[in-house]
Amino acid sequence: MSALRKATSVVQWIVGVGAATAVVLLFSLRGAPDDTPTASTAAGPDTGQVLAGGAEIYEQRCASCHGNEGQGGQGPRLAGTVVLNYPDVTEQIDLVTDGRNGMPPFAMTLTDDEIAAVVSFTRFGLS
């Protein structure tokens, strides 16, 4: 996770873009040897594919606690609240990765790309 924290300026730029691809781009940049975007990562993945993949993961892994539409249940409401509660996307990534306050960690069961997709979905796909 320290690689994500070192990319603060990149994260700020990405979040300013305001697209679901921002989180996936952050993960792809994390693997670059010199932490600079490459031609293939600068363009980023297709937003629709990211949201669709995130929706599928959300349905399989998150909906049982957070509700099918993010309305809450055993876990807190996510729809309309994620960006307000986690304005810094790295905090949300850390929460999904490491778990906290009853939420299980997903670092061992989801890949970085899957975590990025579900974080993107909860930020931009739930209303």
mmCIF file with all atom_site columns, all heavy atoms in Angstrom, residues 108-127:
data_model
loop_
_atom_site.group_PDB
_atom_site.id
_atom_site.type_symbol
_atom_site.label_atom_id
_atom_site.label_alt_id
_atom_site.label_comp_id
_atom_site.label_asym_id
_atom_site.label_entity_id
_atom_site.label_seq_id
_atom_site.pdbx_PDB_ins_code
_atom_site.Cartn_x
_atom_site.Cartn_y
_atom_site.Cartn_z
_atom_site.occupancy
_atom_site.B_iso_or_equiv
_atom_site.pdbx_formal_charge
_atom_site.auth_seq_id
_atom_site.auth_comp_id
_atom_site.auth_asym_id
_atom_site.auth_atom_id
_atom_site.pdbx_PDB_model_num
ATOM 1   N N   . MET A 1 108 ? -6.748  -10.616 0.019   1.00 0.00 ? 108 MET A N   1
ATOM 2   C CA  . MET A 1 108 ? -6.401  -11.995 -0.312  1.00 0.00 ? 108 MET A CA  1
ATOM 3   C C   . MET A 1 108 ? -7.419  -12.650 -1.250  1.00 0.00 ? 108 MET A C   1
ATOM 4   O O   . MET A 1 108 ? -7.156  -13.715 -1.787  1.00 0.00 ? 108 MET A O   1
ATOM 5   C CB  . MET A 1 108 ? -6.281  -12.836 0.966   1.00 0.00 ? 108 MET A CB  1
ATOM 6   C CG  . MET A 1 108 ? -5.211  -12.317 1.928   1.00 0.00 ? 108 MET A CG  1
ATOM 7   S SD  . MET A 1 108 ? -3.570  -12.210 1.205   1.00 0.00 ? 108 MET A SD  1
ATOM 8   C CE  . MET A 1 108 ? -3.131  -13.926 1.177   1.00 0.00 ? 108 MET A CE  1
ATOM 9   N N   . THR A 1 109 ? -8.580  -12.012 -1.440  1.00 0.00 ? 109 THR A N   1
ATOM 10  C CA  . THR A 1 109 ? -9.610  -12.633 -2.269  1.00 0.00 ? 109 THR A CA  1
ATOM 11  C C   . THR A 1 109 ? -9.893  -11.873 -3.563  1.00 0.00 ? 109 THR A C   1
ATOM 12  O O   . THR A 1 109 ? -10.526 -12.423 -4.463  1.00 0.00 ? 109 THR A O   1
ATOM 13  C CB  . THR A 1 109 ? -10.925 -12.789 -1.481  1.00 0.00 ? 109 THR A CB  1
ATOM 14  O OG1 . THR A 1 109 ? -11.353 -11.510 -1.013  1.00 0.00 ? 109 THR A OG1 1
ATOM 15  C CG2 . THR A 1 109 ? -10.750 -13.745 -0.313  1.00 0.00 ? 109 THR A CG2 1
ATOM 16  N N   . LEU A 1 110 ? -9.469  -10.625 -3.654  1.00 0.00 ? 110 LEU A N   1
ATOM 17  C CA  . LEU A 1 110 ? -9.653  -9.825  -4.866  1.00 0.00 ? 110 LEU A CA  1
ATOM 18  C C   . LEU A 1 110 ? -8.304  -9.315  -5.343  1.00 0.00 ? 110 LEU A C   1
ATOM 19  O O   . LEU A 1 110 ? -7.446  -8.970  -4.531  1.00 0.00 ? 110 LEU A O   1
ATOM 20  C CB  . LEU A 1 110 ? -10.571 -8.623  -4.609  1.00 0.00 ? 110 LEU A CB  1
ATOM 21  C CG  . LEU A 1 110 ? -12.021 -8.906  -4.223  1.00 0.00 ? 110 LEU A CG  1
ATOM 22  C CD1 . LEU A 1 110 ? -12.746 -7.601  -3.898  1.00 0.00 ? 110 LEU A CD1 1
ATOM 23  C CD2 . LEU A 1 110 ? -12.751 -9.661  -5.327  1.00 0.00 ? 110 LEU A CD2 1
ATOM 24  N N   . THR A 1 111 ? -8.136  -9.242  -6.652  1.00 0.00 ? 111 THR A N   1
ATOM 25  C CA  . THR A 1 111 ? -6.916  -8.665  -7.217  1.00 0.00 ? 111 THR A CA  1
ATOM 26  C C   . THR A 1 111 ? -6.982  -7.149  -7.108  1.00 0.00 ? 111 THR A C   1
ATOM 27  O O   . THR A 1 111 ? -8.046  -6.567  -6.831  1.00 0.00 ? 111 THR A O   1
ATOM 28  C CB  . THR A 1 111 ? -6.768  -9.043  -8.699  1.00 0.00 ? 111 THR A CB  1
ATOM 29  O OG1 . THR A 1 111 ? -7.814  -8.398  -9.450  1.00 0.00 ? 111 THR A OG1 1
ATOM 30  C CG2 . THR A 1 111 ? -6.791  -10.553 -8.903  1.00 0.00 ? 111 THR A CG2 1
ATOM 31  N N   . ASP A 1 112 ? -5.852  -6.487  -7.346  1.00 0.00 ? 112 ASP A N   1
ATOM 32  C CA  . ASP A 1 112 ? -5.831  -5.023  -7.362  1.00 0.00 ? 112 ASP A CA  1
ATOM 33  C C   . ASP A 1 112 ? -6.833  -4.477  -8.378  1.00 0.00 ? 112 ASP A C   1
ATOM 34  O O   . ASP A 1 112 ? -7.535  -3.503  -8.102  1.00 0.00 ? 112 ASP A O   1
ATOM 35  C CB  . ASP A 1 112 ? -4.440  -4.502  -7.697  1.00 0.00 ? 112 ASP A CB  1
ATOM 36  C CG  . ASP A 1 112 ? -3.458  -4.628  -6.543  1.00 0.00 ? 112 ASP A CG  1
ATOM 37  O OD1 . ASP A 1 112 ? -3.866  -4.946  -5.417  1.00 0.00 ? 112 ASP A OD1 1
ATOM 38  O OD2 . ASP A 1 112 ? -2.270  -4.382  -6.795  1.00 0.00 ? 112 ASP A OD2 1
ATOM 39  N N   . ASP A 1 113 ? -6.904  -5.088  -9.560  1.00 0.00 ? 113 ASP A N   1
ATOM 40  C CA  . ASP A 1 113 ? -7.840  -4.635  -10.590 1.00 0.00 ? 113 ASP A CA  1
ATOM 41  C C   . ASP A 1 113 ? -9.284  -4.810  -10.140 1.00 0.00 ? 113 ASP A C   1
ATOM 42  O O   . ASP A 1 113 ? -10.140 -3.959  -10.414 1.00 0.00 ? 113 ASP A O   1
ATOM 43  C CB  . ASP A 1 113 ? -7.614  -5.385  -11.900 1.00 0.00 ? 113 ASP A CB  1
ATOM 44  C CG  . ASP A 1 113 ? -6.342  -4.958  -12.615 1.00 0.00 ? 113 ASP A CG  1
ATOM 45  O OD1 . ASP A 1 113 ? -5.781  -3.878  -12.291 1.00 0.00 ? 113 ASP A OD1 1
ATOM 46  O OD2 . ASP A 1 113 ? -5.900  -5.705  -13.502 1.00 0.00 ? 113 ASP A OD2 1
ATOM 47  N N   . GLU A 1 114 ? -9.585  -5.891  -9.446  1.00 0.00 ? 114 GLU A N   1
ATOM 48  C CA  . GLU A 1 114 ? -10.943 -6.122  -8.951  1.00 0.00 ? 114 GLU A CA  1
ATOM 49  C C   . GLU A 1 114 ? -11.302 -5.113  -7.857  1.00 0.00 ? 114 GLU A C   1
ATOM 50  O O   . GLU A 1 114 ? -12.420 -4.591  -7.828  1.00 0.00 ? 114 GLU A O   1
ATOM 51  C CB  . GLU A 1 114 ? -11.093 -7.548  -8.443  1.00 0.00 ? 114 GLU A CB  1
ATOM 52  C CG  . GLU A 1 114 ? -11.063 -8.589  -9.545  1.00 0.00 ? 114 GLU A CG  1
ATOM 53  C CD  . GLU A 1 114 ? -10.983 -10.009 -9.037  1.00 0.00 ? 114 GLU A CD  1
ATOM 54  O OE1 . GLU A 1 114 ? -10.373 -10.244 -7.962  1.00 0.00 ? 114 GLU A OE1 1
ATOM 55  O OE2 . GLU A 1 114 ? -11.515 -10.906 -9.733  1.00 0.00 ? 114 GLU A OE2 1
ATOM 56  N N   . ILE A 1 115 ? -10.354 -4.837  -6.970  1.00 0.00 ? 115 ILE A N   1
ATOM 57  C CA  . ILE A 1 115 ? -10.595 -3.823  -5.936  1.00 0.00 ? 115 ILE A CA  1
ATOM 58  C C   . ILE A 1 115 ? -10.818 -2.476  -6.596  1.00 0.00 ? 115 ILE A C   1
ATOM 59  O O   . ILE A 1 115 ? -11.736 -1.729  -6.235  1.00 0.00 ? 115 ILE A O   1
ATOM 60  C CB  . ILE A 1 115 ? -9.437  -3.782  -4.917  1.00 0.00 ? 115 ILE A CB  1
ATOM 61  C CG1 . ILE A 1 115 ? -9.450  -5.056  -4.066  1.00 0.00 ? 115 ILE A CG1 1
ATOM 62  C CG2 . ILE A 1 115 ? -9.539  -2.536  -4.025  1.00 0.00 ? 115 ILE A CG2 1
ATOM 63  C CD1 . ILE A 1 115 ? -8.246  -5.222  -3.157  1.00 0.00 ? 115 ILE A CD1 1
ATOM 64  N N   . ALA A 1 116 ? -10.002 -2.140  -7.583  1.00 0.00 ? 116 ALA A N   1
ATOM 65  C CA  . ALA A 1 116 ? -10.161 -0.869  -8.298  1.00 0.00 ? 116 ALA A CA  1
ATOM 66  C C   . ALA A 1 116 ? -11.530 -0.789  -8.963  1.00 0.00 ? 116 ALA A C   1
ATOM 67  O O   . ALA A 1 116 ? -12.190 0.255   -8.919  1.00 0.00 ? 116 ALA A O   1
ATOM 68  C CB  . ALA A 1 116 ? -9.054  -0.713  -9.329  1.00 0.00 ? 116 ALA A CB  1
ATOM 69  N N   . ALA A 1 117 ? -11.972 -1.885  -9.554  1.00 0.00 ? 117 ALA A N   1
ATOM 70  C CA  . ALA A 1 117 ? -13.269 -1.892  -10.237 1.00 0.00 ? 117 ALA A CA  1
ATOM 71  C C   . ALA A 1 117 ? -14.418 -1.701  -9.253  1.00 0.00 ? 117 ALA A C   1
ATOM 72  O O   . ALA A 1 117 ? -15.339 -0.916  -9.505  1.00 0.00 ? 117 ALA A O   1
ATOM 73  C CB  . ALA A 1 117 ? -13.442 -3.186  -11.029 1.00 0.00 ? 117 ALA A CB  1
ATOM 74  N N   . VAL A 1 118 ? -14.378 -2.399  -8.122  1.00 0.00 ? 118 VAL A N   1
ATOM 75  C CA  . VAL A 1 118 ? -15.484 -2.279  -7.165  1.00 0.00 ? 118 VAL A CA  1
ATOM 76  C C   . VAL A 1 118 ? -15.455 -0.909  -6.482  1.00 0.00 ? 118 VAL A C   1
ATOM 77  O O   . VAL A 1 118 ? -16.506 -0.319  -6.223  1.00 0.00 ? 118 VAL A O   1
ATOM 78  C CB  . VAL A 1 118 ? -15.519 -3.451  -6.149  1.00 0.00 ? 118 VAL A CB  1
ATOM 79  C CG1 . VAL A 1 118 ? -14.474 -3.318  -5.064  1.00 0.00 ? 118 VAL A CG1 1
ATOM 80  C CG2 . VAL A 1 118 ? -16.897 -3.598  -5.552  1.00 0.00 ? 118 VAL A CG2 1
ATOM 81  N N   . VAL A 1 119 ? -14.279 -0.357  -6.223  1.00 0.00 ? 119 VAL A N   1
ATOM 82  C CA  . VAL A 1 119 ? -14.193 0.998   -5.669  1.00 0.00 ? 119 VAL A CA  1
ATOM 83  C C   . VAL A 1 119 ? -14.755 1.991   -6.676  1.00 0.00 ? 119 VAL A C   1
ATOM 84  O O   . VAL A 1 119 ? -15.530 2.890   -6.327  1.00 0.00 ? 119 VAL A O   1
ATOM 85  C CB  . VAL A 1 119 ? -12.745 1.342   -5.263  1.00 0.00 ? 119 VAL A CB  1
ATOM 86  C CG1 . VAL A 1 119 ? -12.574 2.831   -5.034  1.00 0.00 ? 119 VAL A CG1 1
ATOM 87  C CG2 . VAL A 1 119 ? -12.355 0.569   -4.006  1.00 0.00 ? 119 VAL A CG2 1
ATOM 88  N N   . SER A 1 120 ? -14.399 1.847   -7.937  1.00 0.00 ? 120 SER A N   1
ATOM 89  C CA  . SER A 1 120 ? -14.937 2.727   -8.978  1.00 0.00 ? 120 SER A CA  1
ATOM 90  C C   . SER A 1 120 ? -16.459 2.619   -9.048  1.00 0.00 ? 120 SER A C   1
ATOM 91  O O   . SER A 1 120 ? -17.157 3.628   -9.130  1.00 0.00 ? 120 SER A O   1
ATOM 92  C CB  . SER A 1 120 ? -14.339 2.380   -10.341 1.00 0.00 ? 120 SER A CB  1
ATOM 93  O OG  . SER A 1 120 ? -12.967 2.648   -10.364 1.00 0.00 ? 120 SER A OG  1
ATOM 94  N N   . PHE A 1 121 ? -16.955 1.384   -8.996  1.00 0.00 ? 121 PHE A N   1
ATOM 95  C CA  . PHE A 1 121 ? -18.403 1.190   -9.052  1.00 0.00 ? 121 PHE A CA  1
ATOM 96  C C   . PHE A 1 121 ? -19.097 1.860   -7.872  1.00 0.00 ? 121 PHE A C   1
ATOM 97  O O   . PHE A 1 121 ? -20.120 2.522   -8.047  1.00 0.00 ? 121 PHE A O   1
ATOM 98  C CB  . PHE A 1 121 ? -18.760 -0.299  -9.096  1.00 0.00 ? 121 PHE A CB  1
ATOM 99  C CG  . PHE A 1 121 ? -20.240 -0.540  -9.041  1.00 0.00 ? 121 PHE A CG  1
ATOM 100 C CD1 . PHE A 1 121 ? -21.036 -0.267  -10.140 1.00 0.00 ? 121 PHE A CD1 1
ATOM 101 C CD2 . PHE A 1 121 ? -20.839 -1.017  -7.882  1.00 0.00 ? 121 PHE A CD2 1
ATOM 102 C CE1 . PHE A 1 121 ? -22.419 -0.463  -10.088 1.00 0.00 ? 121 PHE A CE1 1
ATOM 103 C CE2 . PHE A 1 121 ? -22.205 -1.215  -7.823  1.00 0.00 ? 121 PHE A CE2 1
ATOM 104 C CZ  . PHE A 1 121 ? -23.002 -0.937  -8.928  1.00 0.00 ? 121 PHE A CZ  1
ATOM 105 N N   . THR A 1 122 ? -18.573 1.702   -6.670  1.00 0.00 ? 122 THR A N   1
ATOM 106 C CA  . THR A 1 122 ? -19.238 2.303   -5.509  1.00 0.00 ? 122 THR A CA  1
ATOM 107 C C   . THR A 1 122 ? -19.154 3.825   -5.545  1.00 0.00 ? 122 THR A C   1
ATOM 108 O O   . THR A 1 122 ? -20.037 4.501   -5.043  1.00 0.00 ? 122 THR A O   1
ATOM 109 C CB  . THR A 1 122 ? -18.673 1.780   -4.172  1.00 0.00 ? 122 THR A CB  1
ATOM 110 O OG1 . THR A 1 122 ? -17.282 2.105   -4.083  1.00 0.00 ? 122 THR A OG1 1
ATOM 111 C CG2 . THR A 1 122 ? -18.891 0.290   -4.031  1.00 0.00 ? 122 THR A CG2 1
ATOM 112 N N   . ARG A 1 123 ? -18.112 4.372   -6.162  1.00 0.00 ? 123 ARG A N   1
ATOM 113 C CA  . ARG A 1 123 ? -17.967 5.827   -6.258  1.00 0.00 ? 123 ARG A CA  1
ATOM 114 C C   . ARG A 1 123 ? -18.823 6.421   -7.369  1.00 0.00 ? 123 ARG A C   1
ATOM 115 O O   . ARG A 1 123 ? -19.368 7.514   -7.215  1.00 0.00 ? 123 ARG A O   1
ATOM 116 C CB  . ARG A 1 123 ? -16.505 6.213   -6.481  1.00 0.00 ? 123 ARG A CB  1
ATOM 117 C CG  . ARG A 1 123 ? -15.612 5.886   -5.308  1.00 0.00 ? 123 ARG A CG  1
ATOM 118 C CD  . ARG A 1 123 ? -14.170 6.287   -5.574  1.00 0.00 ? 123 ARG A CD  1
ATOM 119 N NE  . ARG A 1 123 ? -13.945 7.704   -5.383  1.00 0.00 ? 123 ARG A NE  1
ATOM 120 C CZ  . ARG A 1 123 ? -13.766 8.302   -4.196  1.00 0.00 ? 123 ARG A CZ  1
ATOM 121 N NH1 . ARG A 1 123 ? -13.790 7.578   -3.093  1.00 0.00 ? 123 ARG A NH1 1
ATOM 122 N NH2 . ARG A 1 123 ? -13.544 9.585   -4.118  1.00 0.00 ? 123 ARG A NH2 1
ATOM 123 N N   . PHE A 1 124 ? -18.924 5.730   -8.499  1.00 0.00 ? 124 PHE A N   1
ATOM 124 C CA  . PHE A 1 124 ? -19.539 6.326   -9.679  1.00 0.00 ? 124 PHE A CA  1
ATOM 125 C C   . PHE A 1 124 ? -20.745 5.568   -10.229 1.00 0.00 ? 124 PHE A C   1
ATOM 126 O O   . PHE A 1 124 ? -21.458 6.096   -11.069 1.00 0.00 ? 124 PHE A O   1
ATOM 127 C CB  . PHE A 1 124 ? -18.491 6.464   -10.790 1.00 0.00 ? 124 PHE A CB  1
ATOM 128 C CG  . PHE A 1 124 ? -17.289 7.234   -10.365 1.00 0.00 ? 124 PHE A CG  1
ATOM 129 C CD1 . PHE A 1 124 ? -16.084 6.579   -10.147 1.00 0.00 ? 124 PHE A CD1 1
ATOM 130 C CD2 . PHE A 1 124 ? -17.336 8.590   -10.159 1.00 0.00 ? 124 PHE A CD2 1
ATOM 131 C CE1 . PHE A 1 124 ? -14.953 7.280   -9.742  1.00 0.00 ? 124 PHE A CE1 1
ATOM 132 C CE2 . PHE A 1 124 ? -16.221 9.304   -9.756  1.00 0.00 ? 124 PHE A CE2 1
ATOM 133 C CZ  . PHE A 1 124 ? -15.027 8.652   -9.546  1.00 0.00 ? 124 PHE A CZ  1
ATOM 134 N N   . GLY A 1 125 ? -20.979 4.331   -9.775  1.00 0.00 ? 125 GLY A N   1
ATOM 135 C CA  . GLY A 1 125 ? -22.073 3.533   -10.325 1.00 0.00 ? 125 GLY A CA  1
ATOM 136 C C   . GLY A 1 125 ? -23.285 3.437   -9.422  1.00 0.00 ? 125 GLY A C   1
ATOM 137 O O   . GLY A 1 125 ? -24.375 3.109   -9.885  1.00 0.00 ? 125 GLY A O   1
ATOM 138 N N   . LEU A 1 126 ? -23.115 3.682   -8.142  1.00 0.00 ? 126 LEU A N   1
ATOM 139 C CA  . LEU A 1 126 ? -24.250 3.683   -7.208  1.00 0.00 ? 126 LEU A CA  1
ATOM 140 C C   . LEU A 1 126 ? -24.773 5.108   -7.093  1.00 0.00 ? 126 LEU A C   1
ATOM 141 O O   . LEU A 1 126 ? -23.995 6.053   -6.993  1.00 0.00 ? 126 LEU A O   1
ATOM 142 C CB  . LEU A 1 126 ? -23.827 3.187   -5.821  1.00 0.00 ? 126 LEU A CB  1
ATOM 143 C CG  . LEU A 1 126 ? -23.439 1.723   -5.700  1.00 0.00 ? 126 LEU A CG  1
ATOM 144 C CD1 . LEU A 1 126 ? -22.917 1.434   -4.291  1.00 0.00 ? 126 LEU A CD1 1
ATOM 145 C CD2 . LEU A 1 126 ? -24.616 0.823   -6.018  1.00 0.00 ? 126 LEU A CD2 1
ATOM 146 N N   . SER A 1 127 ? -26.072 5.253   -7.097  1.00 0.00 ? 127 SER A N   1
ATOM 147 C CA  . SER A 1 127 ? -26.614 6.613   -6.953  1.00 0.00 ? 127 SER A CA  1
ATOM 148 C C   . SER A 1 127 ? -27.542 6.724   -5.769  1.00 0.00 ? 127 SER A C   1
ATOM 149 O O   . SER A 1 127 ? -27.901 5.798   -5.159  1.00 0.00 ? 127 SER A O   1
ATOM 150 C CB  . SER A 1 127 ? -27.344 7.017   -8.220  1.00 0.00 ? 127 SER A CB  1
ATOM 151 O OG  . SER A 1 127 ? -28.281 6.052   -8.611  1.00 0.00 ? 127 SER A OG  1
#
